[in-house]
Each structure stands twice: as structure tokens, then as C-alpha cells.
Amino acid sequence: MINTVLVTGGTGYIGSHIAVSLLRAGLQVVIVDNLSNSSEFVIQRIARITGTEPSFFKADCRDKKALQAIFNTHRPDAVIHLAGHKAVGESCQKPLMYYQNNIESSLVLIEVMQAFSVDKLVFSSSATVYGDTETMPVNEQAQTAVTNPYGQTKLMIEQMLQDISKASPEKFKVALLRYFNPAGADESGLIGEDPRSIPNNLMPYVSQVAIGKRERLSVFGGDYPTADGTGVRDYIHVSDLAQGHLEALRWLDSQVELPCCRAINLGTGVGYSVLEVVSAFEQISGRPVPYDIVDRRPGDVAVSYADVSLAANLLDWRAEKDLEDMVSDAWRWQEMNPNGIR
């Protein structure tokens, strides 16, 4: 039975929302984060939302001694692994940094898990492993065709986890959660996406333009084969995504058939273009979002949205929030935290 969960990257955007879901479910949460792209003040916000403060350790997952000490003290029953660099464009510019950080941190974490007989892992993967897939919606059996180093690191870690699970089936159960595009924020407005510099994701960039922090939105590509020429993505509310991790843990805890290592899409099954998101934001915020169409980004694909039937069947999970919820919650977060969490 799972009582204590270690969350790597737990002060980040997705990790903080996962911590909230776990704490609300009555689980004990231990967060490990090096704070390279987040703030320790997130811990206080999580406590305000849930009434419970998670344990927190500032540490890098590549630091084996630090991880060993944390495991020795808290003895987690399962791990949710989110720590890693995550920007597609940056990975194309700095591929070595991505391979060094993402692969090494995962290797060290798994070694420590094995040393402490922790046999349940939920891995934060990505829909970028599918690359430019022609058939939509994309399901978990689709051929992987990665178009950028970030996605390649995710795919390499997936393969590594599959190999480890096959080699030691009695000791290792893994859920490979392939996220589509997380958006929105906790409905309290206390936690949300808080990029340290120029946002890499659409929603926080649109939010910052709407509130006047940035002058204009750059829309990367207006000549895609889509209805309005802009890229189409499956946006999923971050709170729905967080709940998916809780259901994945419950599923792993119930598994008796081994080996157990499954890739599972987490999305809504609905695609929205960049300009559709901009329009929704303008309507809900009442603010204009001026934009310029610029060149495509390296590694981006035209259309990507999920077949979510496997998550429904295995995890009994479905996204409950729609684009309006995502935009409303993202705007509330931006208005309440114009300078982020400080």
C-alpha cells in the first residue's frame, strides 16, 4: 500500500499541482527539487491550499548521496519523477545539457530506488516522443519519431525503464505518462506556471501579454496545414493532469501481472490552434492579445492531440476541465501573481 510518495521536481509547475492532489488524497509527500526553475515559496502555497506542508529537500537528482539520505529518512513507497529540463527550443540549442541532465538524473534516481527496494515509479514523459505523426488522434501504439533532443531524452528514459522492468519484473512497476500540453492553474490562484524568464509554453506567454508584462505574442508558424495556419495542440488542465498521476499510482499499486511498464497518454482528445487559444483568452480576460506570426520553431509539429481511451480503461481517468477552465484559471493566477511566486 502506498503511503509516502517522493516527487522529484515537485516545486515546479506540474509537480506542485501533483503534490496538491496527493496531499488531498491523504498521502504523505516528499519533494526533491534543485530550484533551478522554481521557488521554495511554492511549498508555503501548497500548504495554504491543502492544510498540510509537504517535506522539502533542495537537492539535485544527480546527487546520489543526497538522494540516499532522503530515501533513508523518509522511506517512500513510490516515486513520481518530473525533474528535468523541458523546453523544446532550448534542447535544440543545447542538446548536450539536456542529455546530461535528464538522462543522468533518471539513472541515479533509479539506482537509489533499487537500493531501497522502492518498486513503483510514475515517469513524466511527453507527447513529443511521437514526433510528426500523420494519424490523429495519436495512440500509444503509434510509431515514435522524435524531432528534438528534449523528446529524445524522454524516449531514451522510457526505453531504459522498459528494459529495467523486463529484467526485474518482480521489483519494478512503471507508468510512462505521455503528457500533451499542460495549461491552467489551481483554481485557488495560489500556484500556477511561473517561468523564470521568457515563457516556453503558450498559455503563460499569452497571460503575460494580456496583463501588459510583454508587448506582443510571437506565434511560431502561420503556414501549417491547419484551419488557421497555426499549430494545433491538445491542452490539458494541469489539475486534471495531476489527478492522472494519482490514478496511475493507484493502478500500479493494484498490479499483480508482471512485468508492468505501460505508456499512457494524458490529454483531452481535443485539439485547439494557437489562435483559438488567443481568442479564448481575449474573451475571458477582456484584454487584447496582440501577436505577430513568425517563423516556425525547430522541432515543432503541425498537429498533435491524444487518443485517451487507454487512460480511461486502465486508470478510470478522464480530463474534466475544458479550454474555458484552463484560460479562466490561468488568468486568475496571472492577475493574483503578476510577478510570479516570490
Side-chain angles (χ1 to χ4, degrees), residues 107-147:
L107 283 168
V108 172
L109 175 65
I110 295 163
E111 288 176 352
V112 175
M113 287 179 65
Q114 290 185 330
F116 284 86
S117 300
V118 179
D119 62 357
K120 301 174 189 70
L121 174 66
V122 176
F123 174 59
S124 165
S125 191
S126 169
T128 57
V129 302
Y130 295 120
D132 198 357
T133 305
E134 293 183 1
T135 303
M136 289 291 154
V138 60
N139 65 34
E140 292 82 356
Q141 283 71 50
Q143 183 175 357
T144 54
V146 180
T147 60

Side-chain angles (χ1 to χ4, degrees), residues 88-199:
V88 168
E90 183 183 55
S91 77
C92 295
Q93 298 167 359
K94 302 177 181 179
L96 183 58
M97 181 178 77
Y98 272 69
Y99 287 113
Q100 285 179 328
N101 182 78
N102 294 4
I103 303 296
E104 184 180 355
S105 62
S106 300
L107 283 168
V108 172
L109 175 65
I110 295 163
E111 288 176 352
V112 175
M113 287 179 65
Q114 290 185 330
F116 284 86
S117 300
V118 179
D119 62 357
K120 301 174 189 70
L121 174 66
V122 176
F123 174 59
S124 165
S125 191
S126 169
T128 57
V129 302
Y130 295 120
D132 198 357
T133 305
E134 293 183 1
T135 303
M136 289 291 154
V138 60
N139 65 34
E140 292 82 356
Q141 283 71 50
Q143 183 175 357
T144 54
V146 180
T147 60
N148 57 76
Y150 162 70
Q152 189 64 47
T153 66
K154 292 295 187 182
L155 188 59
M156 291 172 71
I157 295 167
E158 280 195 13
Q159 185 62 59
M160 181 173 67
L161 291 170
Q162 289 169 356
D163 291 342
I164 294 169
S165 178
K166 290 176 184 177
S168 55
E170 75 285 357
K171 297 179 182 178
F172 212 48
K173 303 175 184 179
V174 185
L176 309 168
L177 301 186
R178 292 175 174 172
Y179 308 166
F180 279 68
N181 291 264
D186 187 79
E187 62 184 8
S188 67
L190 291 174
I191 56 174
E193 191 162 8
D194 185 19
R196 286 286 180 90
S197 56
I198 298 174

